[in-house]
Amino acid sequence: MSRIPKRLKAAAAAATATALVALPLTLMSTGASAAPTHVDNPYAGATQYVNPTWSASVEAAAGRAGDATLAAKMRAIKNQPTAVWMDRISAIAGNADGNGLKYHLDQALAQKQGSTPIVFNVVIYDLPGRDCYALASNGELPATDAGMARYKSEYIDPIAALLGDPKYQDIRISATIEPDSLPNLITNSSEAACQQAAPYYREGVKYALDKLHAIPNVYTYIDAAHGGWLGWPSNAAPAAKLFADVARTTSAGLASVDGFVTNTANSTPLVEPFLTSPTLQVGGNPVKSSSFYEWNDDFDEIDWTAHLHSLLVAEGFPASTGMLIDTSRNGWGGSARPTAASTSTTLNTYVDQSRVDKRVHRGAWCNPLGAGIGERPQATPSGYASSHLDAFVWIKPPGESDGASSEIPNDQGKRFDRMCDPTFVSPKLANQLTGATPNAPLAGQWFEAQFRTLVQNAYPVISTTNPTTPPPTTSSTRRTAGTRASPAPSASPTRVAQRSAAGA
Ligand code: BGC
């Protein structure tokens, strides 16, 4: 059996044996009050928590769909599991935007079916100076010592107290740790706001890991951006090193991390089925040298997770480190999806016609128009051995905005980021229009127009005849990991400033 508890693995095997021998006989025989084992992959053999509030939003949207097929598709996914975001201190107790953490934990217990484990996905997202390279998800806590103190005592401590309540010990709690934060320190350290936030991001992530890892039924997954952000070797290697450096500052060291989650709130495809070799020559140049890929070999999240995993292991993380991919909005189906590789002999035309990712630029993170829902959540997806996937998850609840497309006053610290404005030509996107969906509300708010498009453009297509069985994935065209070539020295950009949507 490979379900060896990771943190036990990381500890000395001898100590484990001693501890087991020392267990009181009653506990060993009944197991009744014993804390559940910390397994290698919490998603394996488990169901996942369905947020009733998200389901109700989907049902309401279906009621307003005005189109029977669309409504049926919405209803077919309304009981999919989505993560619950603790996006500010008031989210813990509950606020106008949603129920509190205790409500969700109680609901998760109620949803648990017999002895089948259940995973509750929660997002830890309130660092001081949050979203330092963008404005849409700036937060409530300033990047100051006072902000850090509040993060610890008013945010992480109460969350850890609730998650650590023995009442919830049978819930496998999967915590996505601070989307975009450490990745921003890799690519955006020239930005004053990121420089100011950097020490607090490191200290905050360390603090969160220490508190959460101490709870045996909590599983920690650090956010690791996406392939279109960190895929370049000059970004990827420093990112893996930073993750290891921060983890090493915790009291459990690398063992405080169960895994990494990529593509949080972003729309980088799982697989680019018609661009399977970054080195394929078109018009005398490799496809990876196209304007869209900018010499980045990691065209999709399968590439990125495999690449990152190998770097993490080189940094000392165990091979059992698991990867999650947020597939909530990376489907790219609909009529614009190509069905074959292009026949053009002009490089950029070939790439643009072949890619399923229809963004104007891989840095376009805000409510990208044309994106669809991706793979349905599932444990240990097969066909991607090099990626070491624990699961596909829906961390960003489809239908929740990435940011407002105009100024909207609020008390959450969120600001107007022009990357969310479809009329804006952005220098960060090679001077192209952002491609953002118009009329977007504040980040995190229900955005029905976007939800409709996400459902319509879902890939795999949402089946209305057998909603509980996800359609098969296209894994046959995968290239194997290890074929990644180094970028040509003359043309490789240095760290390209990108950001994901997470906070998105
Ligand atoms: C927002 C959060 C929200 C989350 C999930 C983020 O972009 O800043 O407030 O909870 O998305 O929708």
Side-chain angles (χ1 to χ4, degrees):
M1 289 280 291
S2 62
R3 286 169 141 226
I4 304 165
K6 223 169 289 175
R7 61 187 63 172
L8 291 187
K9 263 190 265 175
T16 306
T18 316
L20 282 174
V21 168
L23 270 180
L25 211 63
T26 43
L27 260 187
M28 288 194 75
S29 52
T30 67
S33 54
T37 313
H38 190 90
V39 298
D40 179 56
N41 176 2
Y43 293 86
T47 61
Q48 292 184 52
Y49 172 63
V50 176
N51 181 351
T53 313
W54 184 78
S55 294
S57 299
V58 173
E59 175 55 40
R64 292 185 287 257
D67 169 333
T69 307
L70 182 59
K73 287 184 173 185
M74 290 176 174
R75 292 196 168 104
I77 56 154
K78 79 172 185 184
N79 290 327
Q80 289 292 342
T82 53
V84 171
W85 289 59
M86 291 290 107
D87 69 343
R88 51 202 195 271
I89 289 165
S90 67
I92 303 169
N95 55 29
D97 288 330
N99 294 296
L101 187 53
K102 186 177 179 325
Y103 165 88
H104 290 291
L105 290 165
D106 288 338
Q107 292 288 317
L109 267 189
Q111 287 180 17
K112 187 169 182 295
Q113 295 160 19
S115 59
T116 305
I118 188 164
V119 176
F120 170 65
N121 295 294
V122 64
V123 183
I124 304 299
Y125 189 52
D126 200 25
L127 277 174
R130 190 178 72 188
D131 206 14
C132 65
Y133 191 60
L135 305 174
S137 282
N138 284 175
E140 62 188 346
L141 301 176
T144 60
D145 288 355
M148 189 78 248
R150 288 192 67 199
Y151 180 76
K152 291 178 178 174
S153 64
E154 294 177 45
Y155 181 72
I156 294 294
D157 289 354
I159 289 175
L162 265 171
L163 300 185
D165 185 334
K167 185 179 167 196
Y168 304 123
Q169 69 174 13
D170 286 336
I171 304 173
R172 294 178 178 175
I173 297 160
S174 169
T176 288
I177 311 274
E178 296 292 358
D180 287 3
S181 59
L182 299 180
N184 263 324
L185 304 192
I186 298 300
T187 55
N188 300 317
S189 57
S190 59
E191 201 74 13
C194 291
Q195 279 168 17
Q196 195 181 337
Y200 300 111
Y201 284 7
R202 287 167 174 265
E203 186 180 347
V205 170
K206 170 202 176 318
Y207 191 82
L209 287 173
D210 269 333
K211 290 287 172 176
L212 298 178
H213 171 71
I215 306 165
N217 53 313
V218 173
Y219 296 79
T220 57
Y221 290 89
I222 294 182
D223 180 85
H226 61 99
W229 181 351
L230 292 180
W232 290 270
S234 54
N235 290 345
K241 183 173 184 310
L242 177 62
F243 297 146
D245 285 350
V246 172
R248 281 202 178 88
T249 64
T250 67
S251 40
L254 299 184
S256 66
V257 180
D258 289 285
F260 292 80
V261 47
T262 80
N263 209 36
T264 302
N266 209 279
S267 53
T268 299
L270 184 71
V271 170
E272 276 294 352
F274 309 117
L275 292 167
T276 55
S277 167
T279 52
L280 176 77
Q281 301 280 312
V282 175
N285 289 297
V287 292
K288 68 175 179 175
S289 70
S290 59
S291 303
F292 193 67
Y293 292 113
E294 301 174 301
W295 294 96
N296 181 346
D297 282 348
D298 291 348
F299 290 2
D300 55 44
E301 290 307 285
I302 289 300
D303 290 344
W304 171 231
T305 45
H307 183 190
L308 177 62
H309 191 274
S310 65
L311 292 170
L312 292 166
V313 169
E315 286 293 336
F317 283 101
S320 58
T321 301
M323 312 296 281
L324 303 177
I325 300 176
D326 183 359
T327 57
S328 63
R329 306 187 307 181
N330 69 348
W332 297 107
S335 56
R337 183 182 176 89
T339 53
S342 168
T343 52
S344 174
T345 52
T346 306
L347 179 63
N348 284 328
T349 307
Y350 178 89
V351 166
D352 291 346
Q353 290 180 348
S354 301
R355 59 185 166 93
V356 298
D357 184 344
K358 291 299 172 209
R359 289 177 292 186
V360 294
H361 187 281
R362 299 180 86 199
W365 53 268
C366 195
N367 302 318
L369 198 54
I373 282 173
E375 289 282 353
R376 310 305 100 88
Q378 54 185 283
T380 45
S382 61
Y384 312 110
S386 306
S387 290
H388 299 267
L389 299 180
D390 278 355
F392 295 147
V393 284
W394 284 8
I395 300 299
K396 178 76 182 182
E400 292 186 8
S401 174
D402 295 320
S405 43
S406 58
E407 192 79 54
I408 299 179
N410 67 92
D411 61 2
Q412 302 174 38
K414 289 173 179 162
R415 293 156 72 198
F416 171 40
D417 193 311
R418 299 227 48 203
M419 291 286 272
C420 304
D421 173 358
T423 68
F424 182 58
V425 173
S426 173
K428 292 177 183 171
L429 305 176
N431 296 314
Q432 300 174 87
L433 285 166
T434 61
T437 310
N439 305 315
L442 215 54
Q445 301 292 310
W446 185 252
F447 185 12
E448 195 147 315
Q450 185 191 36
F451 183 66
R452 294 170 66 96
T453 312
L454 287 168
V455 171
Q456 272 152 347
N457 288 349
Y459 192 90
V461 168
I462 297 168
S463 160
T464 53
T465 50
N466 189 6
T468 51
T469 311
T473 59
T474 42
S475 58
S476 53
T477 50
R478 287 314 316 141
R479 56 183 174 276
T480 49
T483 54
R484 185 172 297 103
S486 305
S490 56
S492 171
T494 49
R495 306 196 179 161
V496 176
Q498 301 269 348
R499 82 175 292 295
S500 95

